[in-house]
Amino acid sequence: MTSHNIAVVGCGGVSGMHFTGYAAHPDRVRVVAACDPVAERRDWARDTYGVSETFDSIEELLEHGGFTAAVVCTPSTVRESALKALAAAGIHIFVEKPMADTYAEAVRAVEVCADAGVLLAVNQNFRYHYAFGIAAGLVRDGAIGAVRSIAHQDLTFRQDKGWRIQSPRHALSVMGVHWFDGFRQLIGSDADQISCRTFSAPAINCVGETDASVSIDFGAVPVSYVQSFSSRYSHTETIVVGESGTLRFDYGQLTRIDADKRETVFTNPHSGPGKPESTFLGLAALLDAIENGDEPANSGQDNLKTISLLDGAYRSATERQPVRLTGGLLP
């Protein structure tokens, strides 16, 4: 098994999940450097995770070198400049989601990496951390017949802090990007229309939306999705209705109900404390692709269809009308 030296760009809160996940696989990946403009975050990476080389800028990090791939954990507002610098230096990239704030930015990121000849993959870790992976496997195996509809709710009371609460795009950007990607994995076909309404609850301190109601058409398969960061009742659940059965699941458990109403229960090993491992699995897909000379399943090119749903939802909410997609992509 080949071991890869990597660097982490941005040592904010989300990077801890990456550091922890990678530390469990020293035979596969070694974090040899990190950068962050805040000294205390560099100290934290060094003291907590043993990152020996830390820098205050991506320029200094690249000058030091010694790695072939980088994990980008910066705020999405400055992510594009980081991707450009890394790609220009010939570094393969694993980027946090959302890959970009808008579809146009995401297209530029994919094109920049393609032009530079480097691979770009996205940390859609809910493909493992949530029970989407188990559900998608059952759907592929015909366990519930053809999918006819999906209903999803993610209700919580969530007060973020830092740069996120200053972003004009909030709840859908934070959580919706996970769910949009998951719906795509379950259905296996392209969305052709999305409609969205949003509002911002005064109980939550943020600039962007706290709540959204979304409808998506994947051809003949409708998806209904409700997101709330202001709900006093907490509940997250996905229901997939098929021709011969139904799936009901959340993070840790999935129940398949067959045509005779018999229930089969599956446990997700990557829920809860398994979240760092789910992040490693995303990086591992990139490392495998580097070695094999192919595209990872979580490539930036694939993720354009997820970002199309995210950006399309915001466009629909602003324009107050449905937004059409072609081949799963915004025009």
Side-chain angles (χ1 to χ4, degrees), residues 114-177:
D115 291 344
V118 301
L119 295 180
L120 173 65
V122 184
N123 183 31
Q124 292 288 174
N125 60 316
F126 272 43
R127 295 185 182 188
Y128 313 98
H129 180 55
Y130 198 69
F132 279 130
I134 297 172
L138 289 170
V139 169
R140 286 194 302 271
D141 292 342
I144 61 169
V147 173
R148 289 308 185 194
S149 68
I150 296 176
H152 178 81
Q153 290 185 334
D154 184 31
L155 314 177
T156 189
F157 192 85
R158 173 169 173 160
Q159 177 60 66
D160 283 297
K161 59 183 179 180
W163 68 272
R164 286 192 183 279
I165 65 173
Q166 301 302 321
S167 173
R169 295 185 169 190
H170 189 44
L172 290 175
S173 184
V174 172
M175 290 304 301
V177 69

Side-chain angles (χ1 to χ4, degrees), residues 136 139-140 147-150 180-191 216-223 240:
V139 169
R140 286 194 302 271
V147 173
R148 289 308 185 194
S149 68
I150 296 176
F180 293 140
D181 190 72
F183 304 151
R184 290 184 53 232
Q185 308 312 307
L186 290 172
I187 297 171
S189 61
D190 294 333
I216 313 170
D217 292 335
F218 286 83
V221 182
V223 174
V240 182

